[in-house]
Amino acid sequence: MSRQQGSQVETDVTPVVVLRPYRDLFVRGLTAIFALTTPVFAVLYWLTIPDGDWTIVLGAHVLVVIATIVGVYGFFSATISLRPDGVRERGFFGHTRLVRPVDVRSIVLVRIYDGSTLDTLPQLFVTGHDGRVLLRMRGQFWSAEDIERVAEELDRPVTRAEDFMTMTQLRRTSPELLYWFERLPRLR
C-alpha cells in the first residue's frame, strides 16, 4: 500500500488528479518540533518564572507555535495537480506554477542514494526551453508511482540515468538541476 494520497476532482470535462506528499512526514515533523522545543521551553520557564522574566519566554514560545502553524498549513497545501492543460504545482510556501507539455524541453529521472545508505530515491527534473528547472519531485516527499505518473502526464521523452548517483555526482554532472544551496557542498 502506498503512503501517498491522491484524489480526483470532477471538472466539466476531465477529472483532475491531485497528488499529495507523504503524510507520515507531517507526523515526523511535528514530533521533531515537540521533541526539540518542549524541553527547552520547560527549562526556560522553570528558570524565568521565579524572577518574573517569563513573558519573554512566552513571547518566543508563541512565535514557535505560530511558525509551526504556518508550517502545517504549508504542508497541507502542497500539491501537484494533473490537469488537462498540464501539471500544476502548489509549493510549500503557496507559490503555484503551471507546467504545460509545450513548455517542457526535457524530463530527467535519476535515482539518488539516500544519505550514506544503499537505498535510492527517485528524483524527477522537468526543465524548460531556457534550461531552468520548472518542476522537481523528490522521492523523500513523493512516491515513485506519482513521479512516474507526472512524467507520463507531460508526454515528453524521459531521460533515465543508467546508474544510481550520489548527490556529489549529480552536483558535478548537472549542477543546473539543483537548488543554489545544493550546489555548495560545504553548506550541506
Side-chain angles (χ1 to χ4, degrees), residues 138-155:
R138 294 185 282 173
Q140 291 96 332
F141 306 111
W142 306 96
S143 72
E145 296 83 21
D146 288 344
I147 290 173
E148 289 287 343
R149 195 171 188 180
V150 168
E152 288 173 13
E153 184 73 22
L154 290 170
D155 198 29

Side-chain angles (χ1 to χ4, degrees), residues 5 7 14 24 31 52 67 76 94 99 108 117 149 157-158 164 178:
Q5 290 186 353
S7 61
T14 309
D24 62 338
T31 303
F76 282 113
V99 179
V108 179
T117 68
R149 195 171 188 180
V158 178
F164 302 148
L178 300 174

Side-chain angles (χ1 to χ4, degrees), residues 104-123:
V104 175
R105 181 183 78 184
S106 68
I107 299 175
V108 179
L109 184 61
V110 296
R111 294 204 55 95
I112 303 287
Y113 285 107
D114 186 24
S116 299
T117 68
L118 293 178
D119 297 333
T120 61
L121 294 171
Q123 288 206 26

